[in-house]
Amino acid sequence: MVPIAWALRAAGHEVRVATQRPLVPAVLESGLPTVAVAGDHDWQRRVVAASSAKGDWEGWVQRVTDVARTGHRMGWDDLHAYFEEQVEHAWKHFNHGLVDGLAGYAREWRPDMILWEPFTFAAAVAARALGIPHARVTWGADVWVRARRRFTELLAERSPELRSDPLRDWLGAEAARFGADFDEELFTGQWTIDQSPPSMRLESGVRTIPARYVPYNGPAEIPDWLREPPRRPRVCVTGGLTARGLYGADLLGPALLDRLAALDVEVVATVAAGDGERPAVPDNVRLVDFVPMDPLLETCSAVVHMGGFGVMSTAMRHGVPQLTLPKLGDSTVRADLLRATGAGLVVSHDEATPDTVRDAVARLLAEPGFGEAAERLRRETLSEPAPGAVAAALEGSAAGRSGLRAPAIESEGVPL
């Protein structure tokens, strides 16, 4: 969301980032003004830790991943159970304190538009309460809206006495406190800003504003070694910060690095051990806790990652062939979409071994088709509207308060 926020500021508009207090330092690092409107929802401790203690965490992750992949084809019982579980164990917690905080601040500051990330439904309630436009900014494949569309189709087919909608029950009650009614826009936004190129964008049935992905890695100094051209093909290996935060350690281990080092490559691995100890690695492997992906991937010939949106999108922007080892949520869907473009390979994380990963990377480096497809995907990514164009479209919408004034940049995705 940072490049879009800065595009709005560059166009002369006032921008405020309203968030929970623990995120304030991260927002301040972006240079954007922020206001804390809620405390810490503490989801990691209250929900993840509790689920792990009961031995249900992996089961929950798998159920969410199943819906991401096949929710648009699931039956009533499975989808109802999914929305019931998500509301109770995730979305309520994510929005804890935010509904009142955002609505109160919005009444105080009177914004002309609210942009929100896909699980901050409190923002949609606040926008509805004030009667102002609002748009959702995605950070991945739009699998949740796709599953929701399937759910509402099945809901309409049921007799009235058998209809049950956990999302409506919860979010509708929150909206009613501010004199607002529930409709699907509280879940989808009036518009969706999608930062995936067309071949990587799902058709979700919502009004979509396409946007070019622009990497934001936070404040970081480019190390001296990264300023020097690599002497051999450089391969990046990263477990991603999201998986590290959920599991307490990276999900890619030293054995994988040993196998990759057997290739004639230079490996840069953003891998940290859970206990903080550095594993012994071959001479052609460089271990770093963190390095900004944008300047790193610009120098790489291949990347191995877990399917996170930021790493995948940055690699697409630089035309880097990718090996995806998906495990969580919509990463499996993004991996399938990437494979369909020809720009990468997929090995399920649970089925990956050091040898299969090494062999897949060897293919990415040796077979020119992967590089050619990655170059096509790079051109497609860079042809999408820049944040400045997105800001102009939002500006027209906020001024008119009725529909976008730049329909030429609206787009549909690819159905699966």
Side-chain angles (χ1 to χ4, degrees):
M1 300 177 80
V2 171
I4 293 173
W6 269 110
L8 288 163
R9 291 209 73 184
H13 302 295
E14 294 293 330
V15 174
R16 298 287 185 275
V17 181
T19 188
Q20 290 141 337
R21 183 160 295 283
L23 278 176
V24 166
V27 179
L28 293 177
E29 288 178 347
S30 75
L32 293 166
T34 184
V35 57
V37 296
D40 190 350
H41 58 57
D42 204 14
W43 183 71
Q44 192 87 350
R45 181 184 64 84
R46 294 197 297 169
V47 178
V48 176
S51 297
S52 298
K54 292 189 300 182
D56 193 41
W57 169 244
E58 289 293 343
W60 185 12
V61 169
Q62 188 56 55
R63 290 191 294 276
V64 171
T65 301
D66 290 343
V67 171
R69 287 185 64 86
T70 63
H72 57 301
R73 301 193 299 267
M74 278 184 171
W76 168 260
D77 289 341
D78 288 335
L79 277 179
H80 185 275
Y82 163 76
F83 279 103
E84 188 172 49
E85 189 173 40
Q86 285 298 99
V87 166
E88 289 300 321
H89 299 305
W91 297 338
K92 275 186 178 180
H93 295 277
F94 296 163
N95 290 272
H96 178 71
L98 274 176
V99 179
D100 293 294
L102 276 173
Y105 183 69
R107 284 202 176 103
E108 171 190 330
W109 193 55
R110 305 299 300 183
D112 295 298
M113 174 172 278
I114 298 179
L115 306 182
W116 49 284
E117 68 83 34
F119 291 158
T120 308
F121 307 118
V125 172
R128 177 66 58 80
L130 271 69
I132 61 176
H134 60 101
R136 193 172 50 111
V137 184
T138 64
W139 39 254
D142 211 356
V143 292
W144 320 121
V145 165
R146 187 175 65 167
R148 178 68 185 175
R149 184 169 64 172
R150 170 66 173 167
F151 177 85
T152 57
E153 291 171 352
L154 296 173
L155 182 67
E157 296 172 358
R158 296 176 68 81
S159 57
E161 67 274 13
L162 295 178
R163 292 177 185 171
S164 172
D165 187 347
L167 177 68
R168 176 186 286 271
D169 292 344
W170 163 62
L171 201 51
E174 293 288 349
R177 295 196 294 113
F178 299 91
D181 296 325
F182 175 88
D183 61 30
E184 292 301 314
E185 284 185 357
L186 295 185
F187 189 75
T188 67
Q190 292 176 305
W191 307 281
T192 292
I193 300 173
D194 196 321
Q195 299 179 77
S196 299
S199 61
M200 294 288 294
R201 185 182 305 141
L202 294 181
E203 181 184 358
S204 58
V206 297
R207 195 175 191 182
T208 299
I209 304 171
R212 183 187 310 167
Y213 177 80
V214 176
Y216 171 72
N217 300 147
E221 179 182 1
I222 298 177
D224 290 342
W225 61 263
L226 188 51
R227 296 165 57 188
E228 301 175 2
R231 298 176 182 177
R232 290 182 285 186
R234 178 174 285 164
V235 177
C236 170
V237 179
T238 178
L241 295 177
T242 299
R244 184 184 294 182
L246 287 175
Y247 288 91
D250 288 288
L251 300 179
L252 305 175
L256 167 62
L257 303 180
D258 288 340
R259 296 294 195 282
L260 285 178
L263 302 174
D264 186 22
V265 297
E266 171 195 332
V267 177
V268 176
T270 61
V271 175
D275 58 7
E277 295 182 0
R278 292 270 184 164
V281 293
D283 291 341
N284 59 334
V285 174
R286 182 187 299 272
L287 290 183
V288 292
D289 286 328
F290 172 81
V291 63
M293 282 289 117
D294 189 23
L296 172 60
L297 291 183
E298 186 179 14
T299 70
C300 287
S301 300
V303 57
V304 180
H305 61 93
M306 301 284 294
F309 180 71
V311 176
M312 181 177 285
S313 299
T314 304
M316 290 191 300
R317 182 181 174 92
H318 290 298
V320 181
Q322 307 181 46
L323 172 60
T324 308
L325 313 176
K327 182 178 179 68
L328 303 171
D330 66 320
S331 65
T332 57
V333 176
R334 289 197 302 270
D336 288 342
L337 288 167
L338 181 72
R339 176 168 50 189
T341 70
L345 293 170
V346 179
V347 177
S348 167
H349 179 271
D350 294 331
E351 299 175 354
T353 67
D355 288 334
T356 58
V357 171
R358 178 203 58 202
D359 293 345
V361 170
R363 284 190 60 194
L364 293 179
L365 297 174
E367 299 178 23
F370 293 111
E372 293 165 358
E375 173 59 23
R376 290 193 297 270
L377 194 53
R378 183 189 73 85
R379 292 196 298 268
E380 183 183 346
T381 298
L382 295 179
S383 69
E384 291 291 272
V390 175
L394 296 174
E395 180 182 72
S397 173
R401 296 279 178 110
S402 59
L404 285 174
R405 294 184 177 181
I409 72 167
E410 291 182 31
S411 176
E412 295 294 335
V414 291
L416 283 185

